[in-house]
Amino acid sequence: MPNSYFSNPLMFLIETLFQLYMYIVAVRLLLPLIRTPFTHPLIQTIIRITEPLCAPLRSFMPRSRKFDSAVFLLLVLVTLVKLTLLLSLAGAWPAISGLVLLTAAELFSLFISLFTVTIIIEVLLSWLAPQGYNPVASLIQAINAPLLEPVRRRMPLLGGIDLSPLVVILGLQVLSMLVMPLLLGPVYPQY
């Protein structure tokens, strides 16, 4: 049996599990920037999931009101471990500078996809449950507010339809198309 028989499913599992945890840590990193109380049940769950790995890092990392450097370091370390595992299973290993650029690209892509997905979920929830309280909806709205509110203030409603989510998603995709080749170019010249 070829080596990829077991390595492909293993790579899929590593990619999926690490990506889910990275999303959780990324949301934890955004918590000081959003206006949702830390008593929110989903925020409490996020803190419980991430705190066992953040606590040791916090002992030597500075923390400010708006930025938790221990959470950022955890996100970088988890990304490095994920990339190291995937690259070793693929039989490839870039230079240290390549690994740094891959990590930066992975983190940038993580936040682009996080905001894109949460904006889509916010739109879907506004259609499905427009008036009812939903704890998931309130957290997602708080995450997206820094991106959506400036666009909403400048853009009029067209026939009662808010097109700001579409504008922000298009902007995120264009930003990704501009930045990702700069990050991945030295690592993967064919892009």
Side-chain angles (χ1 to χ4, degrees), residues 93-112:
W93 191 255
I96 295 295
S97 61
L99 191 58
V100 169
L101 287 174
L102 277 174
T103 302
E106 186 77 20
L107 291 172
F108 180 79
S109 177
L110 175 80
F111 281 100
I112 293 290

Side-chain angles (χ1 to χ4, degrees), residues 28-35 62-69:
R28 169 86 188 257
L29 185 64
L30 296 173
L31 289 182
L33 304 174
I34 62 177
R35 293 181 183 95
R63 184 178 184 182
S64 70
R65 262 184 86 155
K66 293 287 184 182
F67 186 73
D68 192 344
S69 57

Side-chain angles (χ1 to χ4, degrees), residues 37-186:
F38 277 60
T39 57
H40 191 283
L42 287 174
I43 291 178
Q44 287 297 313
T45 303
I46 289 168
I47 290 172
R48 268 188 243 114
I49 291 171
T50 56
E51 192 58 30
L53 294 177
C54 284
L57 299 174
R58 193 163 283 114
S59 63
F60 61 89
M61 294 298 294
R63 184 178 184 182
S64 70
R65 262 184 86 155
K66 293 287 184 182
F67 186 73
D68 192 344
S69 57
V71 175
F72 179 72
L73 180 60
L74 175 62
L75 186 57
V76 170
L77 291 174
V78 169
T79 305
L80 278 169
V81 170
K82 173 190 155 188
L83 290 172
T84 303
L85 289 171
L86 291 175
L87 290 170
S88 64
L89 283 172
W93 191 255
I96 295 295
S97 61
L99 191 58
V100 169
L101 287 174
L102 277 174
T103 302
E106 186 77 20
L107 291 172
F108 180 79
S109 177
L110 175 80
F111 281 100
I112 293 290
S113 62
L114 174 71
F115 285 119
T116 301
V117 167
T118 55
I119 289 171
I120 291 170
I121 291 171
E122 181 177 343
V123 168
L124 291 174
L125 286 175
S126 73
W127 292 343
L128 299 175
Q131 300 301 325
Y133 172 75
N134 186 336
V136 174
S138 66
L139 179 60
I140 287 175
Q141 288 169 350
I143 290 170
N144 294 332
L147 294 176
L148 291 175
E149 290 306 319
V151 177
R152 283 185 177 136
R153 283 194 298 267
R154 289 175 178 77
M155 227 179 126
L157 291 176
L158 297 174
I161 298 174
D162 180 14
L163 293 178
S164 61
L166 178 63
V167 170
V168 171
I169 288 174
L170 288 173
L172 288 171
Q173 295 309 309
V174 168
L175 181 65
S176 178
M177 289 176 190
L178 294 172
V179 173
M180 288 302 282
L182 297 174
L183 293 173
L184 292 177

